[in-house]
Amino acid sequence: MNGIYLDNAATSPVHPEVIKVMQKSLEEVYGNPSSIHQYGRKARQTLDNARKVAASSIGANEKNITFTSGGTEADNLALIGTALANQDKGKHIITTTIEHHAILHAAESLEKQDFTVTYLQVQSNGQINVQDLKDALTDETIVVSVMMVNNETGIIQPIKEIGEILKGHQAYFHTDAVQAYGLLDIDVDKLGVDLLTVSSHKVNGPKGVGFLYINENVKISSLQHGGQQERKKRPGTENVTGIIGFQKAIELAQAERDDRNLAYNTYKQLFLKKLESEKVSFSINGDLENAIPSIVNISFPGTNVEQLLTNFDLSGISASSGSACTAGSVEPSHVLSAMYGSSNDRTINSIRFSFGLPNSEDEVTEAATRVASIINRLIK
Amino acid sequence: MIYLDNSATTKPYPEVIDSFSQVAQQFYGNPSSIHSFGLRSERLLNQARKQAAHLIDVDESEIVFTSGGTEGNNMAIKGIAFAHQNRGKHIITSQIEHPSVLETCRSLEEQGFRVTYLPVNNNGVISPIDLEKAITEETILVSIMHVNNELGTIQPIQEVGQIVSKYPKVFFHVDHVQGFGKISLDFYDCLIDLVTISGHKIHGLRGTGILFVKKGTKISPLFHGGEQENKFRAGTENLASIVSMVKAVRLILEQQQIKSDQLRALSNKLKKSLKTINGIMINTPEKHADHIVNISIPGYKPEVIIHALAEKDIFISTKSACSSKQPDESAILVACGFDKEIRNSGLRISLSYENTIEEIEQFCTELQDVLLQLSGIMR
């Protein structure tokens, strides 16, 4: 049976045009950007160009873009870097219980270094209550990190509101925009965001690349030390080829954003309608109205995740129970536990379907048909 | 074009580029995903790890894929420092390490660690006696590079390993970025706990590297998040780059087998020809890694020579690309005790197995021409 990939939020196939530009760059631009000869300078120009494209995609200045090895590194740099550099102003951090593990585990590592972390709860719709944030803020708070779109549910957080609240407070505002980037309209100034994480391989770019937007007013320590690259915020010979590929992925995402939103929305509607018409018993986790088009998280009462994933996989459908970074094990989702309580069945019978470039309307309908027949067979 | 700046970065082997494109197109699943797309990627990742381990002659559990040499060095040094600071806060390194080692050590000094920077002799080599004297009860790590990136000097790693092994609580890290594929190093034999390798210095892709972490060595990760790379390094694995780097590892080790003698001949030819040019001092000591030759031409600004050569489509460098934004002076030549006019006029010629004897001859002729021209202008 032909494979249908509905796990685009875990990682997405590299766009053929991205591979093309990377191949070309590997053959042509192999100078070290720090070298002063013309091959170095050519590499440097290429890099500057990519930085401009990345910056303009979020309404930022190019000097505020730091290229990293990916989303995890960018999240770590944002949280640990600001915490360590600003601990003289306080040692309190606010984040949420539903963040990606790159933030949660970075926060835990800071707790071991005597920082205090408040983990905001979410409501059953998947969003935080901004009043909770207001209540948690103290004079000691130095950074607030709230993701723009949750990777398991696709629920969009009220980033702009949080930005408003934090205006006039010393705390920096970081948002992990890994799942939002490429689909939502992002302008760092309008959102009031000081730091913002983006990963390339979630938007059909290569793996091993990402960027962190760092507003020039942010005081931050680097996680790594060495050369002067990336304004000393991230040393090491720049991954020029990866960055060129990333640039192409950004350009494509920008140009096709409306089309992609429309297509993924259609996929989601088709998928859900098909489940309904096949009389599958299911419910959606989180409010559909607050979700990004590319992700839908569905609970199938009377089933369990492992059984579902195995059966889906056998029928050629790749989906997931949550973040791929929780590696191999199918543990109850920390996100759904936060929304519904850890004893709720939704935490063990829910699947994330995420749509992307490789999909088509026919494919999605076919996938829903297969899913429906599996569920209907399993809960008989 | 004659490219003699291979210690800054190298041109990826065509096979490496092919394997990158193939994997990027065909294996896009996330290795941590449990569906078949993910499984295929995970299998390929495991295979790459196994092959890398086999080629380097270590256990596969000891291979950590990183984003490059700088991350490898940072992870090794900070990783040991933070995981073992309860036992002591003293680190020993040398004055001629790469900035990614030196700056990491300096950052640790700001956090209450004490660092001894061992001096080097005129040949750029540390003294094992100095090293042993520097070890105290508080020492947790010794970090010494194998081949120096500017001079090509080789450090006595085996001797250092033997000394460090007398102190079972002290870990030994080697920055092998410039040595790998050129000068063999048996990690087990030399009693090393951590070794840094970079992909783009061996015709692999930038953004790739390996940190060897000997079984049982506890280090704190630099990044937190997923459980990838044995929990040493969180983040979705850069599969296509990793697989293609392992190919580069295989190819460079093959080249080392076949072409070491040829590289030595190139290097000797280069030094011999340079010696015949008036005003050139060879800074690299007699015994050195063949692929790096450092010279000074007192009275000439290194940038001027580099640009004049670049006009002729020949590429060499001043000092390490990672520190070349600073003024002319080379910290490494300073550490070796060279006079001011020598340490301010250093140039590095770095070879790969791809260079030819004709290229070396042409380079020397063109360099001579450039000097003649410049001396007409300057003197």
Side-chain angles (χ1 to χ4, degrees):
Chain A
M1 217 176 292
N2 65 317
I4 301 177
Y5 188 72
L6 298 182
D7 200 12
N8 290 277
T11 189
S12 58
V14 187
H15 197 291
E17 283 188 45
V18 169
I19 295 185
K20 229 183 275 169
V21 297
M22 290 179 78
Q23 230 165 345
K24 192 160 165 265
S25 103
L26 281 170
E27 281 152 17
E28 286 173 2
V29 190
Y30 67 93
N32 185 324
S34 301
S35 297
I36 59 174
H37 51 62
Q38 73 188 58
Y39 279 87
R41 286 207 308 273
K42 190 171 171 202
R44 164 73 45 210
Q45 280 163 11
T46 311
L47 206 57
D48 290 345
N49 233 349
R51 203 183 303 281
K52 270 184 207 143
V53 170
S56 79
S57 74
I58 54 166
N61 188 311
E62 62 195 84
K63 68 172 194 279
N64 298 332
I65 299 293
T66 300
F67 286 113
T68 67
S69 72
T72 292
E73 182 183 333
D75 275 349
N76 274 266
L77 177 57
L79 201 70
I80 299 176
T82 51
L84 295 181
N86 298 282
Q87 47 185 321
D88 54 318
K89 295 187 228 153
K91 295 189 95 173
H92 180 231
I93 294 161
I94 299 174
T95 183
T96 78
T97 49
I98 60 158
E99 297 298 308
H100 189 272
H101 283 117
I103 286 294
L104 290 178
H105 290 173
E108 282 163 26
S109 85
L110 287 167
E111 285 184 281
K112 285 186 197 142
Q113 294 174 61
D114 295 329
F115 286 83
T116 311
V117 182
T118 302
Y119 299 92
L120 299 176
Q121 296 295 326
V122 292
Q123 311 164 95
S124 59
N125 69 2
Q127 287 187 318
I128 65 159
N129 183 341
V130 290
Q131 185 58 45
D132 291 348
L133 170 69
K134 284 184 196 163
D135 294 344
L137 272 176
T138 73
D139 293 345
E140 298 273 295
T141 312
I142 48 174
V143 53
V144 173
S145 179
V146 177
M147 70 201 320
M148 196 172 286
V149 169
N150 181 264
N151 52 315
E152 294 191 22
T153 59
I155 298 299
I156 303 166
Q157 297 298 330
I159 297 302
K160 197 169 176 191
E161 259 183 274
I162 299 171
E164 290 290 332
I165 293 168
L166 292 176
K167 256 180 208 153
H169 192 283
Q170 66 167 6
Y172 297 130
F173 181 24
H174 168 249
T175 185
D176 173 345
V178 167
Q179 297 290 348
Y181 187 78
L183 292 177
L184 296 189
D185 184 17
I186 300 175
D187 184 304
V188 285
D189 290 336
K190 283 187 197 148
L191 293 174
V193 162
D194 300 303
L195 302 111
L196 180 139
T197 297
V198 172
S199 160
S200 152
H201 78 101
K202 311 281 189 188
V203 291
N204 309 97
K207 296 184 176 59
V209 199
F211 72 71
L212 180 65
Y213 159 77
I214 309 172
N215 183 290
E216 63 257 35
N217 302 321
V218 172
K219 207 174 134 203
I220 190 164
S221 305
S222 60
L223 295 181
Q224 303 178 54
H225 304 270
Q228 315 272 320
Q229 294 94 341
E230 300 296 313
R231 292 173 180 261
K232 288 186 100 172
K233 293 189 175 90
R234 207 275 177 181
T237 300
E238 298 89 337
N239 181 3
V240 182
T241 306
I243 292 169
I244 289 174
F246 188 14
Q247 174 190 346
K248 188 74 198 175
I250 294 173
E251 287 167 345
L252 290 166
Q254 295 285 105
E256 297 171 5
R257 196 173 79 206
D258 293 345
D259 293 343
R260 290 186 190 182
N261 270 309
L262 197 67
Y264 302 164
N265 227 336
T266 310
Y267 297 162
K268 194 190 277 191
Q269 298 309 328
L270 280 174
F271 193 82
L272 296 174
K273 273 205 190 103
K274 188 77 197 170
L275 292 186
E276 276 166 20
S277 70
E278 297 287 332
K279 304 206 164 27
V280 174
S281 144
F282 72 93
S283 60
I284 293 164
N285 295 317
D287 277 349
L288 213 46
E289 306 86 71
N290 291 329
I292 199 152
S294 54
I295 298 177
V296 64
N297 195 305
I298 306 177
S299 159
F300 299 102
T303 66
N304 79 70
V305 167
E306 255 163 286
Q307 175 194 35
L308 290 176
L309 289 176
T310 314
N311 278 285
F312 290 169
D313 199 32
L314 284 172
S315 75
I317 293 163
S318 297
S320 77
S321 62
S323 160
C325 292
T326 5
S329 67
V330 189
E331 280 167 22
S333 154
H334 72 283
V335 176
L336 298 179
S337 299
M339 287 163 67
Y340 301 109
S342 58
S343 58
N344 192 303
D345 279 351
R346 287 178 189 252
T347 63
I348 51 162
N349 65 19
S350 296
I351 298 289
R352 173 186 73 183
F353 300 94
S354 49
F355 309 104
L357 283 191
N359 304 132
S360 65
E361 292 184 16
D362 286 351
E363 216 184 35
V364 168
T365 311
E366 168 64 21
T369 310
R370 291 186 206 168
V371 166
S373 94
I374 289 168
I375 304 290
N376 288 338
R377 176 164 48 86
L378 287 178
I379 58 170
K380 235 177 220 164
Chain B
M1 194 224 337
I2 302 179
Y3 187 75
L4 301 175
D5 194 12
N6 290 284
S7 287
T9 191
T10 55
K11 184 174 168 62
Y13 288 131
E15 296 92 327
V16 168
I17 301 178
D18 285 349
S19 117
F20 172 80
S21 313
Q22 270 178 29
V23 177
Q25 283 170 69
Q26 291 166 19
F27 290 83
Y28 62 82
N30 188 324
S32 300
S33 295
I34 58 177
H35 48 64
S36 49
F37 279 87
L39 231 58
R40 280 183 69 221
S41 296
E42 192 192 10
R43 264 189 224 125
L44 186 62
L45 180 67
N46 291 342
Q47 228 174 303
R49 194 185 309 281
K50 203 174 271 179
Q51 197 190 359
H54 174 73
L55 289 165
I56 302 173
D57 208 9
V58 298
D59 191 88
E60 56 190 285
S61 66
E62 298 174 320
I63 299 281
V64 179
F65 292 118
T66 66
S67 77
T70 291
E71 184 184 313
N73 282 339
N74 273 266
M75 196 194 291
I77 295 169
K78 288 188 158 185
I80 290 291
F82 292 135
H84 301 278
Q85 54 184 327
N86 291 340
R87 221 170 56 205
K89 295 187 105 174
H90 179 229
I91 292 167
I92 301 172
T93 184
S94 84
Q95 290 176 0
I96 61 155
E97 298 296 313
H98 187 266
S100 56
V101 168
L102 291 177
E103 293 300 321
T104 300
C105 287
R106 280 177 201 135
S107 85
L108 287 170
E109 284 182 290
E110 284 166 22
Q111 294 175 63
F113 286 82
R114 194 167 70 79
V115 181
T116 303
Y117 301 91
L118 296 174
V120 293
N121 65 17
N122 293 338
N123 288 332
V125 182
I126 60 155
S127 146
I129 298 168
D130 287 351
L131 167 73
E132 186 148 21
K133 273 193 214 149
I135 298 178
T136 71
E137 283 284 297
E138 293 282 296
T139 310
I140 50 174
L141 175 69
V142 172
S143 176
I144 303 289
M145 73 199 320
H146 187 206
V147 171
N148 180 267
N149 52 316
E150 283 188 32
L151 266 182
T153 310
I154 305 167
Q155 300 298 335
I157 296 301
Q158 185 140 26
E159 240 179 294
V160 173
Q162 246 139 33
I163 293 168
V164 175
S165 73
K166 288 196 270 178
Y167 305 84
K169 287 182 177 171
V170 183
F171 293 96
F172 181 27
H173 166 243
V174 175
D175 173 356
H176 194 26
V177 168
Q178 295 291 345
F180 186 74
K182 301 289 176 11
I183 310 288
S184 298
L185 183 69
D186 188 319
F187 302 174
Y188 293 152
D189 220 36
C190 294
L191 305 162
I192 308 169
D193 300 298
L194 303 121
V195 178
T196 305
I197 295 169
S198 159
H200 79 102
K201 310 280 189 189
I202 57 164
H203 308 274
L205 264 57
R206 277 170 285 213
T208 60
I210 292 174
L211 181 67
F212 159 80
V213 183
K214 195 172 162 184
K215 239 183 261 178
T217 308
K218 202 182 138 207
I219 59 171
S220 299
L222 280 179
F223 315 142
H224 308 267
E227 307 199 333
Q228 295 93 343
E229 298 298 315
N230 250 330
K231 296 193 186 177
F232 284 132
R233 193 208 191 251
T236 300
E237 300 90 339
N238 186 358
L239 186 62
S241 295
I242 288 171
V243 171
S244 64
M245 171 186 59
V246 174
K247 180 156 270 183
V249 168
R250 176 169 72 74
L251 292 171
I252 196 85
L253 292 176
E254 276 171 19
Q255 295 283 297
Q256 189 183 355
Q257 286 281 323
I258 309 164
K259 289 192 173 165
S260 276
D261 292 344
Q262 194 181 317
L263 185 65
R264 169 144 306 172
L266 281 188
S267 189
N268 287 339
K269 167 80 189 169
L270 172 65
K271 284 184 287 180
K272 202 171 150 201
S273 304
L274 289 171
K275 276 179 194 157
T276 64
I277 303 176
N278 232 342
I280 293 189
M281 328 280 286
I282 295 186
N283 302 326
T284 295
E286 225 22 69
K287 187 171 170 289
H288 68 104
D290 293 317
H291 63 296
I292 300 178
V293 174
N294 191 299
I295 62 174
S296 285
I297 313 177
Y300 293 86
K301 271 186 98 60
E303 281 82 0
V304 175
I305 293 174
I306 286 184
H307 290 311
L309 285 170
E311 298 270 299
K312 298 168 186 281
D313 222 14
I314 298 174
F315 301 95
I316 64 169
S317 66
T318 50
K319 42 199 179 153
S320 154
C322 284
S323 56
S324 57
K325 288 287 155 68
Q326 289 150 17
D328 294 334
E329 186 174 82
S330 154
I332 289 169
L333 296 180
V334 172
C336 295
F338 284 105
D339 290 342
K340 194 171 176 212
E341 52 177 8
I342 289 180
R343 64 196 199 214
N344 282 346
S345 62
L347 292 166
R348 176 181 69 182
I349 302 137
S350 49
L351 312 174
S352 78
Y353 293 117
E354 311 292 301
N355 289 122
T356 63
I357 205 96
E358 290 75 26
E359 286 181 328
I360 299 300
E361 280 166 358
Q362 199 189 335
F363 162 68
C364 291
T365 314
E366 300 285 9
L367 177 61
Q368 198 159 13
D369 267 12
V370 163
L371 293 181
L372 265 176
Q373 264 175 16
L374 290 176
S375 67
I377 301 165
M378 290 167 62
R379 286 177 184 175

